[in-house]
Structures are given as C-alpha cells and as structure tokens.
Amino acid sequence: MIKTAMEKFVIVGAGMTGASSAALLRKILPVGTVVKILDKSRGTGGRMSTSRSSTGNSATVDLGAQYISINSHYAKVHQSIHEELISQGLLKASSGVIEDDKFGGDDIQQYITPAGVSSLVKYFVKQAGGEVAFEEHVTKVDVVGTKVKLTTLKGEEELCDGVILTMPVPQILQLEGSIRHLIDSQPKVKENLEKVSYSMRFAVGLFYDAGVTLSYPWAAKYFKDNPCVCYVAIDDKKRGIENSSVGSSAVVHTSVHFGMKHLEEDKEEVKNIIMKHVRELLPDLPEPSEVKGHKWRYSQVHKSYADEPGCVVLSHSPPIILAGDAFSHSNLDGCLTSALSARDAFVKSTGVKLPSNHL
Ligand code: FAD
C-alpha cells in the first residue's frame, strides 16, 4: 500500500546508478507514476560514456569504464541481471589479450560490451521508460511540504514526490537549498560525505580512418612505469570487433598522479602532452584522424562512504536518497548494489510493495 499517491519520482544522473535505480523503481511503481531522469550532460552514460567520432564515420570509443569485471560473489548475487545483459547481447566474455592486467585474477571474469559501455546504461534507461531530460543541471534541492522541488541552472523548477541523487558526492555537497540543512543537521552523515574522495585522470580517444590497422598483440595494455600513460586499449579489438569497415579507435588513460598534477591546466595542452608520451611509448602507432580529450575530475572512488551502505536516506518523507558508486564501489556491480539499496530504502520510506520475485 502506498501511503500517499505518487505522481512523479525524479532520479538525478543518467549514469549506471541513476539508470538502474530508475529501472528498478519503474518495476514497483504504478503505471501512472512518472519516473524521470535529469542529467546535466548531453548524453546517457556518465562515467560509463561512449564517445562518437565527430568526423561522421560512426566510430566510437569508451572514454571511462572499460571492462566489466565480475567476481564470484557478484556472479551469484547479481546473476539474474548479468544473465539479462548477456542474453541481450550487451555483455560478452572478453577474449582479447589484456597485457599486465591489474584487475584480473582467478576470481574474476572479464566481460566486454560489444556496443560500447554506455549501451548498458541505455538499456536500463529504456527499462525505466526512457524519460531523460538532458542539459538539466540541478543546483538546488528544497523540501516544500510533502514534495521535493528541484531547481536547475536555467532556473527551471521540477516538483516531485521524491528524488534519488546519483551524482559524485562533491557535486552533492555543492547543492543549494534545504538539502544543505538536511545534511548539516546529520553531522555523522556530513562528516562521512566530506571524507569521500575520488581519483582523477585524463582520457584521450583516438579515431582512425577505415583501413588503418593497429597491429598489436593485445586488445588492452597497462603501463606501470610511464609518468603519464597507465592504460591503452584498441577499442574495437577490446569489444571483439575486428576488420571493422568503420575505422579503428583507441583510448588512453593517464595515471592518477599525472591527472592530479595537470588537473587545472588547459585540456588541449594536456592532450598534447599525453600524445607526446603515447608516441614515445608506441612509436609505430599510426597518426589518428581525430583526437578527443576528456578530463575525469571524478574518476573512480578512492575512499568510499564509511562502511559502504549502498545509499544514504537524507529524508524519508518526502524521500531524498543519496546513491552512486561512492556508497559502494566503482564498477557495474557497485552501481547495481547502490541502486538496489536505494530501491529498498525507497520501499521503506513510501510503503510501496516489492513484487515477490524481486532481486
Ligand atoms: P556517474 O556515472 O558519475 O553518473 C552521475 C551522473 O550525474 C553523470 O551523468 C553526471 O553528468 C550527472 N550529474 C552530476 N551532477 C549533476 C547535477 N548537478 N545535475 C544533473 N546531473 C548531474 N568501472 C568498471 O566497471 N570497469 C572499468 O573498467 C572502469 N574503469 C573506469 C575508468 C575511468 C577512467 C572512469 C572514469 C571510471 C571507470 N569505472 C569503471 C567506474 C565506473 O565508470 C563508475 O563506477 C560508474 O560509471 C559510476 O556510475 P554512477 O552512476 O554512480 O555515477
């Protein structure tokens, strides 16, 4: 039984946690209740982003998350979700060589996403009903009676019956409105939020014309001793696509140390420094037709919220729930854990019933 009729529930963030939370809520809310996702960026994915070449040859590159690494614990706990993604052709066991793999191991099965990592997030958005409003930067969260009012940078207002905020924690702490009072009035929560930290790094996507081959024995390689580059992947090879008529692409990730050192410098200048290191490391790499740079100010969670609770409930009525990889850990299963925990917290706060066959 729902305590009050819910008309609209909003998720802020169209990344993996936001999309999977929205899909889980869609399953338990009555048909008439709107589940809407707002994101400040122009596309779906967040840190699971797949970037397109601007030359129009439809090549793509994953600039953030690369491999979906599933350990034996999560293979059991999230089995039905993994199986669903595999049956949809969105997840596939990796067969390419990962040289000097930092994350592999006997307990881990590595998966790739044939259509790019953002395809996983898009799948959950579709399950949620597909309602995403892009370029909606939420700056203010207020409790107004039994409702939550969200205000965006453009000055637009959205009134809803509850919200799950899934942006990185430093961005939650920048929000204005009565959410500040909610955080300030719970000193332990505030302290734990302030202690969350992320690594930072740059990524560079390289696009090649069709017919140019990148002949390396590996699909991805980690570099331990380079002052700048820590990882390079031949994106199409990593995704199991060889001899593509579209053209190859590659991604370079810098080390966290390099990311911290150059964080506030001009993105274009940093891109040139990275390319200089790449040419030294891989002298036979052909010249790309396009180079795209990206700064990940919040890359992977370095220090999670204390005890990794999955989510934090700031208010029960109306529900204001904080979720995201910071409340678990930085990978697909971390995001799913957080989304499931946010769904359960939502159920507790609202009295909505879970179906008997729920995960
Ligand atoms: P996010 O993806 O950050 O989503 C938050 C969303 O909120 C974003 O879309 C953002 O635009 C939006 N937002 C922020 N502020 C606002 C606002 N004020 N208003 C509206 N919208 C807002 N994981 C793996 O599983 N395997 C890997 O190999 C891997 N490698 C990685 C490599 C890199 C370089 C990076 C950056 C990440 C990697 N990760 C990897 C981690 C993984 O990408 C993250 O754990 C996951 O994507 C986090 O999802 P999320 O939804 O919690 O947060």
Side-chain angles (χ1 to χ4, degrees):
M1 252 275 282
I2 304 175
K3 279 178 196 158
T4 52
M6 295 197 79
E7 289 161 12
K8 192 196 280 175
F9 200 82
V10 172
I11 316 278
V12 180
M16 178 49 78
T17 308
S20 50
S21 301
L24 288 165
L25 288 195
R26 182 68 284 159
K27 283 187 186 161
I28 57 169
L29 283 169
V31 178
T33 309
V34 173
V35 177
K36 186 171 181 182
I37 306 176
L38 304 180
D39 200 290
K40 67 176 184 165
S41 72
R42 273 189 261 152
T44 308
R47 281 172 278 154
M48 292 201 170
S49 88
T50 302
S51 185
R52 207 160 268 289
S53 157
S54 57
T55 60
N57 78 352
S58 36
T60 62
V61 75
D62 290 334
L63 287 177
Q66 298 292 306
Y67 286 91
I68 301 300
S69 314
I70 299 179
N71 66 24
S72 55
H73 167 72
Y74 282 120
K76 277 194 208 128
V77 177
H78 294 158
Q79 185 181 6
S80 60
I81 303 179
H82 297 152
E83 281 177 1
E84 187 180 329
L85 296 172
I86 291 166
S87 73
Q88 294 292 325
L90 297 171
L91 267 190
K92 203 174 150 198
S94 161
S95 56
V97 174
I98 309 173
E99 218 167 273
D100 301 316
D101 189 2
K102 283 205 298 195
F103 299 101
D106 293 345
D107 186 42
I108 299 215
Q109 169 78 60
Q110 301 277 28
Y111 288 85
I112 49 103
T113 52
V117 74
S118 72
S119 64
L120 299 180
V121 185
K122 285 180 182 154
Y123 176 73
F124 287 113
V125 167
K126 207 169 159 205
Q127 299 286 303
E131 196 175 335
V132 188
F134 293 111
E135 298 186 77
E136 296 290 355
H137 187 156
V138 175
T139 54
K140 208 164 167 242
V141 178
D142 286 294
V143 175
V144 181
T146 58
K147 302 268 183 189
V148 180
K149 187 175 80 179
L150 305 172
T151 310
T152 68
L153 202 56
K154 294 180 215 158
E156 282 161 19
E157 291 178 354
E158 183 94 44
L159 208 58
C160 57
D161 297 286
V163 65
I164 300 180
L165 301 168
T166 69
M167 60 275 249
V169 167
Q171 292 172 327
I172 292 175
L173 290 170
Q174 281 165 17
L175 291 168
E176 291 171 3
S178 52
I179 190 169
R180 280 208 175 176
H181 173 68
L182 279 173
I183 295 174
D184 288 345
S185 63
Q186 301 174 65
K188 196 67 205 164
V189 169
K190 187 176 182 194
E191 186 190 329
N192 286 337
L193 289 172
E194 284 171 344
K195 280 186 181 161
V196 171
S197 65
Y198 296 75
S199 58
M200 48 193 79
R201 62 177 89 240
F202 288 84
V204 173
L206 313 177
F207 294 98
Y208 293 88
D209 292 330
V212 178
T213 30
L214 309 182
S215 353
Y216 295 98
W218 39 266
K221 180 172 167 61
Y222 287 88
F223 296 87
K224 280 192 198 109
D225 304 319
N226 192 271
C228 167
V229 176
C230 82
Y231 171 87
V232 178
I234 312 300
D235 199 82
D236 43 331
K237 196 167 175 177
K238 179 193 81 188
R239 288 184 287 116
I241 299 160
E242 302 241 18
N243 304 320
S244 158
S245 57
V246 162
S248 269
S249 56
V251 66
V252 178
H253 284 169
T254 72
S255 66
V256 173
H257 180 74
F258 179 92
M260 280 164 66
K261 192 170 157 201
H262 297 274
L263 188 67
E264 303 306 339
E265 290 173 27
D266 178 72
K267 205 170 81 178
E268 283 306 298
E269 277 172 30
V270 178
K271 189 172 92 177
N272 293 335
I273 301 173
I274 298 168
M275 285 310 292
K276 188 174 156 281
H277 283 279
V278 171
R279 288 187 191 101
E280 280 166 17
L281 262 183
L282 303 170
D284 47 356
L285 188 76
E287 266 313 300
S289 55
E290 183 187 355
V291 180
K292 257 191 185 182
H294 187 83
K295 173 160 65 180
W296 290 113
R297 186 175 286 274
Y298 307 111
S299 181
Q300 285 110 315
V301 175
H302 175 247
K303 193 167 188 307
S304 308
Y305 189 97
D307 302 328
E308 303 185 2
C311 76
V312 165
V313 180
L314 278 188
S315 153
H316 283 282
S317 184
I320 300 180
I321 299 166
L322 309 181
D325 61 351
F327 301 91
S328 49
H329 42 266
S330 279
N331 61 22
L332 171 71
D333 288 304
C335 295
L336 294 176
T337 300
S338 177
L340 285 159
S341 160
R343 187 270 318 263
D344 292 348
F346 171 83
V347 164
K348 253 194 184 163
S349 298
T350 60
V352 172
K353 278 238 156 43
L354 276 178
S356 54
N357 62 345
H358 73 88
L359 187 68

XYZ file of all heavy atoms in Angstrom, residues 12-19 38-41 43 45-48 63-69 103 136-139 166-168 171 175 201 203 222 253 296 298-300 323-326 329-333 335, ligand 1:
441
model
N 18.339 12.028 -10.287
C 19.314 12.956 -10.872
C 20.561 12.165 -11.235
O 21.194 11.547 -10.372
C 19.639 14.123 -9.912
C 20.650 15.062 -10.560
C 18.375 14.888 -9.558
N 20.900 12.159 -12.529
C 22.076 11.440 -13.038
C 21.668 10.291 -13.947
O 20.966 9.366 -13.518
N 22.102 10.379 -15.209
C 21.816 9.308 -16.177
C 23.051 8.438 -16.363
O 23.419 8.071 -17.481
C 21.358 9.899 -17.514
N 23.727 8.131 -15.241
C 24.839 7.170 -15.251
C 24.277 5.798 -14.879
O 23.054 5.599 -14.827
N 25.166 4.846 -14.599
C 24.732 3.475 -14.314
C 23.846 3.401 -13.066
O 22.822 2.725 -13.064
C 25.952 2.556 -14.170
C 25.607 1.138 -13.831
S 24.318 0.405 -14.870
C 25.223 0.036 -16.337
N 24.217 4.123 -11.977
C 23.385 4.044 -10.764
C 22.014 4.661 -11.008
O 20.989 4.081 -10.625
C 24.069 4.757 -9.576
O 25.399 4.268 -9.440
C 23.314 4.541 -8.290
N 21.985 5.829 -11.661
C 20.711 6.507 -11.912
C 19.815 5.669 -12.808
O 18.624 5.466 -12.502
N 20.378 5.147 -13.904
C 19.569 4.388 -14.863
C 19.041 3.100 -14.240
O 17.868 2.749 -14.412
C 20.405 4.084 -16.105
N 17.035 13.273 -14.776
C 17.613 14.554 -15.223
C 19.121 14.395 -15.259
O 19.710 13.797 -14.352
C 17.291 15.683 -14.238
C 15.834 15.989 -13.886
C 15.784 17.143 -12.886
C 15.053 16.371 -15.144
N 19.779 14.922 -16.296
C 21.243 14.900 -16.310
C 21.765 16.210 -16.883
O 21.196 16.764 -17.822
C 21.783 13.715 -17.129
C 23.230 13.404 -16.755
O 24.125 14.224 -17.084
O 23.460 12.370 -16.088
N 22.870 16.667 -16.327
C 23.428 17.945 -16.789
C 24.142 17.804 -18.138
O 24.357 18.784 -18.833
C 24.366 18.525 -15.737
C 25.631 17.741 -15.516
C 26.531 18.470 -14.526
C 27.846 17.722 -14.400
N 28.894 18.468 -13.785
N 24.514 16.571 -18.471
C 25.284 16.420 -19.717
C 24.355 16.246 -20.920
O 23.135 16.330 -20.793
C 26.231 15.230 -19.598
O 25.463 14.059 -19.640
N 24.301 13.480 -22.904
C 24.029 12.092 -23.290
C 23.991 11.167 -22.083
O 24.326 11.551 -20.959
N 25.077 7.899 -19.798
C 26.270 7.086 -19.507
C 27.059 7.542 -18.304
O 27.608 6.729 -17.575
N 27.170 8.865 -18.085
C 28.024 9.357 -17.001
C 29.448 8.867 -17.228
O 29.996 9.020 -18.316
N 30.002 8.218 -16.207
C 31.381 7.714 -16.349
C 31.437 6.412 -17.151
O 32.521 5.924 -17.450
C 32.011 7.546 -14.956
C 32.478 8.879 -14.387
C 32.916 8.745 -12.961
N 31.802 8.765 -12.046
C 31.787 8.201 -10.852
N 32.842 7.528 -10.455
N 30.726 8.285 -10.073
N 30.284 5.880 -17.526
C 30.249 4.767 -18.488
C 29.879 5.385 -19.835
O 28.825 5.104 -20.416
C 29.245 3.700 -18.057
C 29.698 2.998 -16.798
S 28.921 1.402 -16.581
C 29.858 0.728 -15.215
N 35.391 6.211 -23.185
C 36.392 7.085 -22.550
C 36.544 6.804 -21.054
O 37.571 7.092 -20.475
C 36.017 8.556 -22.748
C 36.207 9.119 -24.159
C 35.732 10.569 -24.218
C 37.669 9.040 -24.608
N 35.506 6.251 -20.428
C 35.568 5.962 -18.992
C 35.730 4.470 -18.765
O 36.758 3.884 -19.135
N 34.692 3.833 -18.186
C 34.770 2.398 -17.841
C 35.107 1.563 -19.070
O 34.638 1.840 -20.176
C 33.448 1.947 -17.236
N 35.929 0.525 -18.853
C 36.456 -0.288 -19.951
C 35.917 -1.715 -19.940
O 35.218 -2.122 -20.831
C 37.987 -0.342 -19.832
C 38.637 1.031 -19.960
C 38.497 1.579 -21.357
O 38.878 0.916 -22.309
N 37.940 2.760 -21.489
N 36.298 -2.458 -18.900
C 35.885 -3.863 -18.786
C 34.869 -3.995 -17.656
O 34.937 -3.254 -16.675
C 37.094 -4.764 -18.487
C 37.976 -4.962 -19.691
C 39.038 -4.109 -19.942
C 37.728 -6.002 -20.580
C 39.845 -4.278 -21.064
C 38.527 -6.182 -21.702
C 39.582 -5.320 -21.936
O 40.363 -5.505 -23.042
N 33.953 -4.930 -17.804
C 33.038 -5.227 -16.708
C 33.619 -6.467 -16.024
O 33.570 -7.573 -16.557
C 31.599 -5.477 -17.239
C 31.086 -4.234 -18.000
C 30.660 -5.865 -16.098
C 31.013 -2.939 -17.212
N 34.230 -6.228 -14.866
C 34.919 -7.305 -14.135
C 33.974 -7.838 -13.066
O 33.584 -7.092 -12.164
C 36.184 -6.767 -13.465
O 36.913 -5.972 -14.376
N 43.478 -5.810 -12.946
C 42.214 -6.130 -12.277
C 41.783 -7.587 -12.449
O 40.799 -8.003 -11.872
C 41.103 -5.204 -12.792
C 41.401 -3.765 -12.506
C 41.906 -2.938 -13.498
C 41.214 -3.255 -11.238
C 42.206 -1.613 -13.224
C 41.506 -1.938 -10.965
C 42.008 -1.110 -11.957
N 20.151 19.394 -18.010
C 19.393 19.890 -16.842
C 20.300 19.754 -15.627
O 20.398 18.693 -15.027
C 18.096 19.089 -16.642
C 17.088 19.215 -17.762
C 16.445 20.596 -17.844
O 16.700 21.448 -16.970
O 15.686 20.808 -18.805
N 21.002 20.836 -15.340
C 21.966 20.843 -14.232
C 21.234 21.252 -12.947
O 20.886 22.420 -12.777
C 23.086 21.830 -14.582
C 24.210 21.821 -13.614
N 25.480 22.224 -13.922
C 24.279 21.443 -12.309
C 26.257 22.101 -12.869
N 25.554 21.634 -11.882
N 21.014 20.289 -12.063
C 20.299 20.578 -10.815
C 21.250 21.312 -9.862
O 22.364 20.842 -9.598
C 19.776 19.271 -10.157
C 19.139 19.549 -8.798
C 18.782 18.575 -11.093
N 20.801 22.476 -9.384
C 21.660 23.255 -8.483
C 21.068 23.386 -7.084
O 21.754 23.769 -6.149
C 21.885 24.686 -9.047
O 20.606 25.257 -9.298
C 22.706 24.665 -10.323
N 22.306 10.849 -7.743
C 23.380 9.862 -8.018
C 24.664 10.510 -8.539
O 25.536 9.811 -9.046
C 22.910 8.793 -9.036
O 22.756 9.404 -10.313
C 21.602 8.155 -8.629
N 24.758 11.824 -8.439
C 25.997 12.459 -8.913
C 27.127 12.203 -7.913
O 26.863 11.876 -6.742
C 25.800 13.970 -9.121
C 25.401 14.729 -7.905
S 23.643 14.665 -7.689
C 23.198 16.353 -8.022
N 28.416 12.375 -8.348
C 29.519 12.204 -7.390
C 29.327 13.085 -6.148
O 28.777 14.191 -6.250
C 30.747 12.628 -8.206
C 30.368 12.299 -9.627
C 28.901 12.614 -9.718
N 29.712 16.831 -5.851
C 28.662 17.581 -6.544
C 27.372 17.608 -5.718
O 26.617 18.567 -5.802
C 28.440 16.993 -7.944
C 29.660 17.254 -8.834
C 29.606 16.541 -10.187
O 29.069 15.446 -10.304
N 30.189 17.164 -11.192
N 25.226 21.317 -3.780
C 23.819 21.676 -3.978
C 23.372 22.715 -2.958
O 23.792 22.690 -1.798
C 22.933 20.427 -3.868
C 23.073 19.417 -5.006
C 22.370 18.108 -4.642
C 22.519 19.975 -6.317
N 41.838 11.559 -13.470
C 42.735 11.219 -14.572
C 42.198 11.813 -15.859
O 41.046 12.270 -15.923
C 42.913 9.707 -14.696
C 41.651 8.939 -14.994
C 41.924 7.458 -15.174
N 41.867 6.707 -13.931
C 42.890 6.016 -13.426
N 44.040 5.985 -14.053
N 42.759 5.330 -12.308
N 41.562 11.170 -20.101
C 41.415 10.123 -21.119
C 41.537 10.792 -22.481
O 41.155 11.960 -22.644
C 40.067 9.445 -20.991
N 48.267 -2.389 -19.796
C 48.578 -1.474 -18.688
C 50.072 -1.149 -18.716
O 50.896 -2.025 -19.001
C 48.215 -2.106 -17.337
C 46.718 -2.155 -17.107
C 45.970 -3.236 -17.555
C 46.057 -1.112 -16.464
C 44.592 -3.276 -17.362
C 44.683 -1.149 -16.272
C 43.957 -2.226 -16.722
O 42.605 -2.259 -16.542
N 44.376 6.147 -21.062
C 44.103 6.713 -19.738
C 45.428 7.129 -19.110
O 46.415 6.391 -19.203
C 43.442 5.684 -18.809
C 41.991 5.448 -19.115
N 41.272 4.418 -18.555
C 41.129 6.111 -19.907
C 40.030 4.473 -18.988
N 39.918 5.478 -19.824
N 38.615 13.512 -16.388
C 37.743 12.883 -15.383
C 38.115 13.454 -14.022
O 39.022 12.953 -13.376
C 37.922 11.365 -15.374
C 37.388 10.673 -16.589
C 38.122 10.035 -17.536
C 36.016 10.530 -16.970
N 37.284 9.517 -18.500
C 35.991 9.806 -18.175
C 34.794 10.954 -16.426
C 34.791 9.486 -18.837
C 33.621 10.647 -17.082
C 33.632 9.921 -18.262
N 36.246 13.362 -11.438
C 35.856 12.295 -10.507
C 35.927 10.998 -11.299
O 35.033 10.698 -12.070
C 34.443 12.532 -9.962
C 34.301 13.913 -9.368
C 33.518 14.881 -9.978
C 35.022 14.244 -8.221
C 33.430 16.152 -9.448
C 34.947 15.518 -7.687
C 34.153 16.473 -8.307
O 34.077 17.737 -7.777
N 37.004 10.257 -11.131
C 37.211 9.054 -11.932
C 36.659 7.858 -11.155
O 35.460 7.605 -11.182
C 38.700 8.916 -12.264
O 38.953 7.790 -13.044
N 37.502 7.150 -10.425
C 36.990 6.055 -9.592
C 37.013 6.481 -8.123
O 37.815 7.333 -7.738
C 37.831 4.796 -9.786
C 37.533 4.113 -11.116
C 38.682 4.247 -12.093
O 39.249 5.332 -12.250
N 39.037 3.166 -12.760
N 22.724 8.144 -3.683
C 23.227 6.851 -4.158
C 24.383 7.097 -5.127
O 24.744 8.237 -5.412
C 22.099 6.076 -4.842
N 24.958 6.011 -5.653
C 26.095 6.144 -6.570
C 27.224 5.256 -6.123
O 27.172 4.654 -5.026
N 28.275 5.167 -6.941
C 29.372 4.248 -6.610
C 30.103 4.638 -5.329
O 30.762 3.801 -4.715
C 30.322 4.051 -7.808
C 30.993 5.330 -8.276
O 30.609 6.425 -7.790
O 31.896 5.247 -9.132
N 29.980 5.892 -4.898
C 30.649 6.318 -3.658
C 30.109 5.567 -2.442
O 30.776 5.469 -1.415
C 30.451 7.809 -3.443
N 31.138 0.695 -4.513
C 32.455 0.746 -5.138
C 32.314 0.982 -6.639
O 31.246 0.810 -7.216
C 33.266 -0.527 -4.851
C 32.438 -1.753 -4.951
N 31.816 -2.321 -3.859
C 32.071 -2.487 -6.004
C 31.113 -3.363 -4.245
N 31.244 -3.494 -5.546
N 33.448 1.336 -7.264
C 33.401 1.835 -8.644
C 33.436 0.735 -9.692
O 34.469 0.504 -10.328
C 34.583 2.779 -8.868
O 34.301 4.037 -8.360
N 32.330 0.082 -9.918
C 32.176 -0.774 -11.101
C 30.693 -1.091 -11.280
O 29.860 -0.604 -10.511
C 33.038 -2.048 -11.020
C 32.700 -2.933 -9.848
O 31.603 -2.867 -9.297
N 33.634 -3.772 -9.455
N 30.383 -1.875 -12.318
C 28.972 -2.170 -12.597
C 28.266 -2.714 -11.354
O 27.184 -2.244 -10.980
C 28.862 -3.195 -13.747
C 27.447 -3.734 -13.977
C 26.535 -2.686 -14.582
C 27.461 -4.983 -14.852
N 28.864 -3.706 -10.692
C 28.192 -4.325 -9.548
C 28.074 -3.365 -8.365
O 27.120 -3.452 -7.595
C 28.903 -5.634 -9.163
C 28.625 -6.713 -10.199
O 27.450 -6.995 -10.449
O 29.586 -7.232 -10.797
N 27.526 -0.156 -8.714
C 26.378 0.698 -9.067
C 25.068 -0.061 -8.859
O 24.097 0.500 -8.348
C 26.479 1.168 -10.522
S 27.889 2.257 -10.819
P 28.217 8.707 -12.797
O 28.494 7.814 -13.938
O 29.230 9.742 -12.457
O 26.796 9.380 -13.063
C 26.411 10.583 -12.437
C 25.652 11.438 -13.455
O 25.178 12.596 -12.795
C 26.521 11.933 -14.623
O 25.914 11.550 -15.846
C 26.549 13.446 -14.453
O 26.507 14.158 -15.686
C 25.264 13.699 -13.662
N 25.309 14.889 -12.819
C 26.311 15.297 -11.994
N 25.938 16.421 -11.353
C 24.691 16.725 -11.787
C 23.788 17.775 -11.495
N 24.087 18.724 -10.599
N 22.595 17.814 -12.149
C 22.274 16.841 -13.053
N 23.096 15.821 -13.365
C 24.282 15.755 -12.728
N 34.004 0.693 -13.914
C 34.011 -0.591 -14.340
O 33.063 -1.350 -14.040
N 35.045 -1.069 -15.123
C 36.070 -0.270 -15.545
O 36.933 -0.711 -16.313
C 36.080 1.082 -15.097
N 37.061 1.911 -15.487
C 36.904 3.258 -15.297
C 37.803 4.143 -15.887
C 37.613 5.512 -15.794
C 38.577 6.473 -16.451
C 36.484 6.006 -15.072
C 36.213 7.491 -15.018
C 35.607 5.145 -14.439
C 35.811 3.761 -14.529
N 34.952 2.849 -13.922
C 34.987 1.536 -14.282
C 33.989 3.272 -12.880
C 32.564 3.405 -13.411
O 32.576 4.124 -14.607
C 31.751 4.126 -12.351
O 31.795 3.388 -11.143
C 30.286 4.268 -12.731
O 30.137 4.684 -14.063
C 29.628 5.265 -11.774
O 28.272 5.425 -12.138
P 27.333 6.403 -11.319
O 26.007 6.371 -11.998
O 27.384 6.074 -9.871
O 27.988 7.860 -11.471
